[in-house]
Amino acid sequence: MEKSEAERLLKRAQDAFDAEEWQVCAETYEQVLAHYPDERPSAAWWYDAALAYKFLRNWPKAYELGREAAARAERGENDPAFWNLGIAATVLREWEVARDAWEGFGIPMPEGEGPVDVDGAFGMTCVRLDTDGEQEVVWAQRLCPTRAQIVNVPFTEGRRFGEIVVHDGEPKGERVYQGRSVSVFDELVLFEPSALPTLEVTVNAAEVADVHALVELFADRDFGAEPTSSFTMHCKCCSEGSIEYEEGGSVHAGAQTVALAAPEDDARQLLEQWAAAVTIGRSWSGLQLIG
């Protein structure tokens, strides 16, 4: 390939990237890289091509080109080529490569093989679930730089408490709770489904503290309980901005619907235990499976 033709194709690839025409972008970069894999700027071409395939959710290609990009990046300097490779390797369960990618980025990894689990070292985050275009931001416990387990009961149909998702590395918004800022990351793929069904129940609580007691009772059993009054709709612009949450949120006393994540028999038992814990002021009815 003549240099003039390569320059023409690079311009086309860069224009396609700017226009978010990811397939054209990736394939055009590959045409150039087949002839010029190790030019001085080729590391950026490998990276942009791998990134385009990530946006396409073409994980084998994102992994293949991501390894080339990382091979040309400096280790330990927070180079995003390693982060994108870590994502693709995680999705494909290529754990040895994923661990090396995180180390290459500059994140020390625990010894071992298989999935990375850092025992809460990455803390909590928020993930924007995307289910056939329907989006919902939920809280999640990060298991590694890109995997997180959902700790809310999602209100989106088909989604479940306890799912493990792979999320992107670029924050798209933040949530502020008790003075602490937490990033919001977009979901990339559902990594592991949850076996816990989603139920719905109507509860009557005399005090807000009674609602919190129900949530804590389920949490103590590693189940989920989410009052629907805690759900707030935001436009896309606000969702990707900074939103501050107050202690207790919009949870209120009185009759209300609560989404539960638990086996039905366990949920029934815990609801009975919750109602019986005080003499008056707590009751429930209409427990039903919804997903």
Side-chain angles (χ1 to χ4, degrees):
M1 178 184 290
E2 296 292 334
K3 284 291 183 78
S4 59
E5 174 65 7
E7 290 173 358
R8 185 187 68 81
L9 289 173
L10 286 170
K11 175 66 165 56
R12 183 185 181 198
Q14 290 156 6
D15 288 346
F17 191 98
D18 292 340
E20 300 185 358
E21 296 173 353
W22 305 124
Q23 192 72 41
V24 173
C25 171
E27 291 177 352
T28 306
Y29 271 125
E30 283 192 282
Q31 290 181 57
V32 177
L33 288 164
H35 296 273
Y36 300 101
D38 294 310
E39 295 291 302
R40 183 179 296 274
S42 69
W45 305 340
W46 286 111
Y47 172 77
D48 284 348
L51 187 62
Y53 277 124
K54 185 193 78 169
F55 292 142
L56 289 167
R57 307 298 192 261
N58 185 333
W59 300 113
K61 293 293 290 185
Y63 176 77
E64 175 193 340
L65 276 66
R67 295 190 73 173
E68 296 287 352
R72 293 162 175 80
E74 187 172 354
R75 295 180 68 86
E77 296 296 328
N78 300 152
D79 193 300
F82 289 107
W83 197 282
N84 281 337
L85 176 58
I87 290 173
T90 297
V91 172
L92 296 177
R93 293 171 166 79
E94 295 285 354
W95 299 118
E96 183 178 352
V97 175
R99 287 171 176 271
D100 184 69
W102 303 130
E103 290 275 3
F105 185 80
I107 303 172
M109 286 287 106
E111 293 184 3
E113 300 177 351
V116 178
D117 191 341
V118 291
D119 295 325
F122 283 93
M124 297 293 292
T125 192
C126 288
V127 177
R128 182 176 291 104
L129 303 180
D130 192 330
T131 310
D132 298 326
E134 185 175 356
Q135 297 186 338
E136 176 182 355
V137 174
V138 297
W139 288 87
Q141 174 68 56
R142 295 182 77 179
L143 306 177
C144 76
T146 195
R147 285 161 48 249
Q149 186 166 34
I150 298 171
V151 298
N152 288 139
V153 184
F155 293 104
T156 302
E157 184 178 354
R159 304 310 299 263
R160 287 182 167 185
F161 170 94
E163 291 176 346
I164 296 176
V165 301
V166 173
H167 62 75
D168 208 350
E170 179 186 2
K172 292 288 184 65
E174 68 173 2
R175 300 296 182 264
V176 181
Y177 182 68
Q178 295 181 340
R180 180 169 174 264
S181 177
V182 177
S183 295
V184 180
F185 297 101
D186 286 346
E187 176 187 26
L188 293 173
V189 296
L190 172 60
F191 188 76
E192 291 181 12
S194 172
L196 289 177
T198 303
L199 310 167
E200 195 172 81
V201 66
T202 299
V203 303
N204 202 318
E207 306 287 343
V208 171
D210 294 322
V211 182
H212 292 315
L214 177 63
V215 172
E216 292 170 6
L217 186 63
F218 274 74
D220 288 343
R221 290 281 301 277
D222 293 326
F223 298 146
E226 199 79 34
T228 56
S229 58
S230 67
F231 182 78
T232 305
M233 293 289 292
H234 297 288
C235 68
K236 183 177 186 294
C237 180
C238 291
S239 179
E240 294 184 358
S242 179
I243 297 175
E244 186 165 358
Y245 285 92
E246 297 180 359
E247 181 70 32
S250 56
V251 175
H252 58 80
Q256 59 196 284
T257 301
V258 178
L260 305 173
E264 187 168 352
D265 289 345
D266 292 275
R268 194 176 301 277
Q269 177 188 354
L270 290 172
L271 286 164
E272 291 286 4
Q273 180 181 336
W274 171 77
V278 298
T279 305
I280 58 173
R282 297 180 182 178
S283 62
W284 63 274
S285 63
L287 181 67
Q288 61 178 329
L289 177 70
I290 62 171

